Amino acid sequence: MSLQVGYYALSLFGGALVAGAVAVIAWKRAMTSVGRSLAFLMAAVFTWSLAAACEAAVPATATKVLFSKIEYLGIATVPVLMFLFALRFLRSGVSLGKWRTAALWVIPIMTLLLAATNEKHHLIWSGFRSLGGPREQLLIYEHGSFFWIHTGYSYILLFATTVFLLLAFFRFKGIHRRQALTLLLAFPLPWIGNALYLSGLAGAEKGYDHT
């Protein structure tokens, strides 16, 4: 399998390495549920970024679609993991309880299953086309109906995550307030890019994202 590694793929590989390193460090130092939540979150980001990098680097369309399905291991889980991490950060490791936590995972699990079997129903991707480039052959994805359900759910969780972090910023002092501010600045960035892509204002011409 030949690779065509351009700047976009290299940036994703770099992001995956950073996320993987943070996940390992957080897991080794995890003494609370907050630390474990961060480790799981960064592991999901690592999976998402690494699969996206591989998708951008491989030339065959079928292989790209396969890596896109692997990406959904991160795409579908990151919003819930962000929400749980922010809640536990704000309230010192509080748990939602078994049933409420399970309910949070219903749509992500459905999204994963539908992405894995998309050829049978096209509810995640209704189609795609190739966008050639000097180093990468990127794909533009057309979205199916369940994709928008997943997207709406993800942005609801992102909004709740932002509210939790804002509350933490105003409630905490010292290092915890600085941590809250760092998280507030970092967490929304990929979602802003995703929103621009979905609105057609950026990224669609380049094929940089299909989430």
Side-chain angles (χ1 to χ4, degrees):
M1 179 175 62
S2 61
L3 298 178
Q4 300 173 353
V5 182
Y7 294 116
Y8 176 55
L10 285 174
S11 68
L12 289 170
F13 278 121
L17 287 175
V18 172
V22 174
V24 171
I25 293 170
W27 183 257
K28 287 183 176 180
R29 297 182 179 180
M31 302 298 293
T32 65
S33 61
V34 178
R36 291 190 293 272
S37 294
L38 178 61
F40 286 129
L41 171 59
M42 297 313 297
V45 173
F46 167 78
T47 302
W48 183 352
S49 299
L50 183 61
C54 292
E55 181 202 349
V58 298
T61 297
T63 310
K64 286 180 177 294
V65 172
L66 174 60
F67 278 118
S68 294
K69 293 180 178 183
I70 297 172
E71 282 177 61
Y72 267 84
L73 292 170
I75 292 169
T77 59
V78 161
V80 176
L81 293 171
M82 286 176 60
F83 174 86
L84 292 173
F85 169 76
L87 176 62
R88 290 165 181 165
F89 180 79
L90 171 65
R91 301 187 63 184
S92 300
V94 69
S95 174
L96 284 177
K98 179 174 63 176
W99 293 110
R100 289 180 181 177
T101 302
L104 284 174
W105 290 102
V106 171
I107 289 181
I109 290 172
M110 291 177 65
T111 302
L112 283 171
L113 292 174
L114 291 174
T117 60
N118 186 73
E119 291 82 1
K120 297 181 179 180
H121 44 71
H122 304 291
L123 291 174
I124 301 296
W125 308 299
S126 58
F128 45 81
R129 57 185 174 85
S130 177
L131 182 68
R135 295 288 295 173
E136 294 143 328
Q137 296 293 321
L138 302 175
L139 290 181
I140 299 293
Y141 288 77
E142 299 170 1
H143 302 120
S145 57
F146 196 86
F147 169 86
W148 298 109
I149 295 174
H150 154 74
T151 299
Y153 180 67
S154 297
Y155 277 94
I156 289 171
L157 291 178
L158 176 62
F159 176 77
T161 297
T162 303
V163 171
F164 292 154
L165 294 176
L166 279 171
L167 290 173
F169 176 76
F170 289 111
R171 177 181 299 179
F172 297 157
K173 303 294 182 181
I175 187 172
H176 295 297
R177 170 173 283 190
R178 292 193 293 272
Q179 290 173 342
L181 178 60
T182 300
L183 293 168
L184 270 170
L185 294 174
F187 274 20
L189 290 178
W191 299 97
I192 292 172
N194 182 256
L196 290 173
Y197 161 73
L198 293 175
S199 68
L201 296 177
E205 294 81 8
K206 297 181 179 180
Y208 277 13
D209 199 330
H210 63 268
T211 59

